[in-house]
Amino acid sequence: MKKVITYGTFDMLHQGHLNILERAKKLGDYLIVGVTSDDFDSRRGKINVQQSMMERVEGVKKTGLADQIIIEEYEGQKIDDVNRLGIDIFAIGSDWKGKFDYLSEFCQVIYLERTKGISSTKIRTKNNHLRLGLVGNAGRIWKVSNEALVINGIDIVGTSGNDGCDKRVGNLENFSFKDLIDKSDAIFIESNVRDRFEQVKYSLEHGKHVLCDLPMAIGKKKQQDLFEIAKKNGCVLMSGIKTAYSTAYYRLLLMVKSGEIGDVLSVETTCTSLSEVSKISSYSENNIWSAMDAWGATALMPIFQILGTDYIDRTIVTKSIDKYFDLFTKMDFIYENAVATAKVGKGIKSEGEMIISGTKGYVYVPAPWWKTEYFEIRYEDLNKKKRFFYELEGEGFKYELVNFLRAINHGRTINYTGDNVLKEVSRIYEEFYNRKDVNLI
């Protein structure tokens, strides 16, 4: 029996894919199709894949052409598969010509002519054309703009500075907020924390999808109001905390929740920075964010995702200049069977690590943990230590934008943070700004 193998992402399966599979099938008696995993696609830079791995596997299965489907998960797997599965012919599209000649040492390599004029990239661009407006301070928005350039189907139409200034972001035109809403299908918001609720509300009421940094609103009720407005208007409303969308952070959460380190007894997060803080006394004029504005939601997110929001007590201690600008804030939470601490600072510096302690071991994420690429699971026996690395492209905005686009195309919100987490974060901010049970130092 002559075995043939081919590989692909097979995103949004089209006639070009079918032609390749049919030609590969005719080369032998048994066709094995390797479908790339979501992680492998991300590590290779294919971050704008529209369908999940299971959706893509199901698409290949429905063609009836594959005798066996396997998952491609790592670089170099093709050699392993060829040897392990006893492959006679490796077949791939002609756009890869020469790329896999090294496999000829193990089997016959055949490059199949691709169907001209058809590609997943073109289909994504045609079907998923989204006009995206950016709202916020120019210094923060330019990173989002740059990372959006590599995503097929997203066009940045312009920006709107929440401070009302006429600052341009690169070649992008700056509009008034209302004009930007009129020109856009969806809005990315990373503006001043106290402006966000009205901006998100206005956008949703005008039928625009919204991706917003946390907190979206000051107060649990206001956050719930936004959920209801989004639902009423058929809009996608997603949180824009980029850490939540990184592969490493997502895998970390899954391992912790699966019991890899036993029962979690403690979560500690630290987020600090010195940047932008040159004249603390005039922060408002310079549009400098406070510690809570810049880091609060990020530091709280893993605590609420891992331990939940049903804590029985909490303590907040802050060093502030005024009601809205804190240099340093420490938040402690007591649960029935666990504790947590979140420390944030703007104008001070500490080790930005995260430690999750359990009854079998602990997770250590080195600084800066919010750009999670690498983490370790450590045990009493040092020989059992496990290391994990998942490359993060750029600042991570690409991943949340891709998931935002995917949610819009699927017609449903895919919330990586969880609605309860969003509401609890909003409540903490309200209590902090109102100085409810907050200790000043």
Side-chain angles (χ1 to χ4, degrees):
M1 180 172 65
K2 186 180 289 186
K3 288 187 175 182
V4 182
I5 194 166
T6 188
Y7 295 85
T9 301
F10 300 105
D11 187 33
M12 304 174 71
L13 196 75
H14 51 69
Q15 189 59 48
H17 292 137
L18 290 173
N19 292 343
I20 289 287
L21 292 174
E22 288 171 353
R23 291 167 189 164
K25 180 80 169 178
K26 291 176 181 178
L27 294 174
D29 308 301
Y30 190 86
L31 178 62
I32 301 173
V33 179
V35 178
T36 55
S37 70
D38 295 331
D39 288 346
F40 189 45
D41 280 328
S42 295
R43 294 197 298 274
R44 294 187 304 151
K46 297 190 73 169
I47 60 170
N48 57 332
V49 175
Q50 295 300 305
Q51 295 179 302
S52 69
M53 183 188 73
M54 292 311 298
E55 288 174 316
R56 293 181 283 115
V57 167
E58 190 60 29
V60 172
K61 188 183 296 183
K62 285 181 178 179
T63 67
L65 295 168
D67 297 293
Q68 182 180 348
I69 298 176
I70 61 174
I71 305 302
E72 185 180 18
E73 300 184 86
Y74 58 91
E75 199 71 43
Q77 182 178 327
K78 291 181 177 68
I79 293 177
D80 294 341
D81 289 342
V82 167
N83 290 329
R84 177 174 58 87
L85 299 171
I87 299 301
D88 299 292
I89 298 174
F90 171 86
I92 201 76
S94 58
D95 53 330
W96 294 99
K97 194 166 186 177
K99 173 73 173 178
F100 298 107
D101 287 353
Y102 68 90
L103 290 174
S104 59
E105 181 181 342
F106 308 96
C107 66
Q108 183 181 1
V109 177
I110 297 177
Y111 295 100
L112 302 170
E113 190 65 32
R114 288 180 62 93
T115 305
K116 290 182 172 59
I118 299 178
S119 73
S120 297
T121 299
K122 288 183 177 180
I123 292 173
R124 282 193 291 265
T125 302
K126 179 180 179 181
N127 293 345
N128 306 316
H129 188 78
L130 185 77
R131 298 174 301 159
L132 182 66
L134 307 178
V135 177
N137 176 266
R140 296 180 176 89
I141 288 300
W142 75 267
K143 293 180 180 179
V144 182
S145 174
N146 286 340
E147 295 199 24
L149 292 175
V150 302
I151 302 173
N152 293 313
I154 290 184
D155 289 336
I156 306 298
V157 298
T159 66
S160 178
N162 67 296
D163 53 5
C165 64
D166 188 29
K167 292 181 180 178
R168 296 174 66 89
V169 179
N171 294 322
L172 297 175
E173 187 174 351
N174 192 71
F175 300 97
S176 70
F177 178 73
K178 292 184 178 180
D179 284 345
L180 184 66
I181 296 299
D182 291 340
K183 296 175 182 295
S184 304
D185 303 313
I187 302 294
F188 177 96
I189 297 176
E190 198 180 52
S191 57
N192 187 298
V193 171
R194 286 164 293 284
D195 294 330
R196 290 176 190 168
F197 173 74
E198 292 298 335
Q199 291 171 340
V200 174
K201 182 172 179 285
Y202 184 90
S203 301
L204 294 173
E205 288 177 340
H206 286 76
K208 312 300 179 180
H209 306 291
V210 176
L211 177 64
C212 183
D213 196 13
L214 294 188
M216 298 181 190
I218 307 299
K220 187 174 182 179
K221 183 182 182 305
K222 285 188 175 181
Q223 180 62 65
Q224 181 59 41
D225 288 344
L226 293 180
F227 288 144
E228 292 173 1
I229 294 170
K231 184 177 181 180
K232 178 183 177 181
N233 290 280
C235 296
V236 168
L237 174 62
M238 285 177 60
S239 60
I241 248 183
K242 56 183 182 293
T243 305
Y245 299 92
S246 75
T247 300
Y249 180 78
Y250 184 67
R251 283 297 178 91
L252 181 158
L253 286 184
L254 291 178
M255 290 181 186
V256 169
K257 291 182 178 181
S258 69
E260 184 69 32
I261 60 171
D263 295 330
V264 176
L265 299 182
S266 173
V267 179
E268 302 169 72
T269 62
T270 301
C271 302
T272 64
S273 62
L274 292 173
S275 61
E276 297 181 335
V277 185
S278 56
K279 296 180 179 179
I280 296 296
S281 60
S282 61
Y283 79 93
S284 58
E285 291 82 357
N286 294 324
N287 201 29
I288 296 173
W289 287 13
S290 69
M292 277 294 287
D293 286 355
W295 295 115
T298 301
L300 290 169
M301 179 179 67
I303 292 173
F304 294 150
Q305 286 182 313
I306 294 169
L307 297 177
T309 58
D310 294 327
Y311 51 87
I312 58 179
D313 195 13
R314 69 111 177 109
T315 302
I316 298 179
V317 179
T318 188
K319 173 67 174 177
S320 300
I321 288 179
D322 60 28
K323 179 178 179 180
Y324 291 116
F325 192 89
D326 59 312
L327 293 176
F328 174 78
T329 296
K330 181 173 180 284
M331 296 170 278
D332 292 296
F333 300 87
I334 299 176
Y335 291 79
E336 186 175 352
N337 296 302
V339 295
T341 297
K343 293 186 291 185
V344 297
K346 199 67 178 291
I348 71 162
K349 194 62 185 172
S350 184
E351 187 70 16
E353 62 187 12
M354 175 164 66
I355 299 175
I356 306 167
S357 305
T359 54
K360 294 180 181 179
Y362 69 97
V363 176
Y364 171 71
V365 190
W369 73 262
W370 53 90
K371 292 184 180 180
T372 310
E373 286 188 319
Y374 172 83
F375 65 92
E376 296 179 1
I377 297 183
R378 298 175 176 177
Y379 304 94
E380 188 75 15
D381 184 350
L382 296 179
N383 294 319
K384 294 182 178 180
K385 180 167 67 174
K386 300 177 182 178
R387 300 178 178 88
F388 302 88
F389 177 79
Y390 305 88
E391 186 176 1
L392 181 70
E393 294 271 336
E395 293 286 325
F397 288 112
K398 287 182 284 191
Y399 301 95
E400 62 180 80
L401 288 170
V402 164
N403 280 281
F404 183 48
L405 180 60
R406 184 176 295 158
I408 292 170
N409 292 334
H410 288 186
R412 61 187 178 89
T413 298
I414 308 167
N415 207 324
Y416 277 55
T417 43
D419 290 357
N420 287 338
V421 172
L422 269 60
K423 287 189 283 188
E424 192 59 35
V425 166
S426 293
R427 179 165 75 172
I428 292 295
Y429 271 80
E430 182 179 38
E431 293 177 351
F432 175 77
Y433 288 135
N434 290 335
R435 296 295 189 255
K436 180 180 178 181
D437 298 325
V438 174
N439 301 298
L440 305 178
I441 57 173

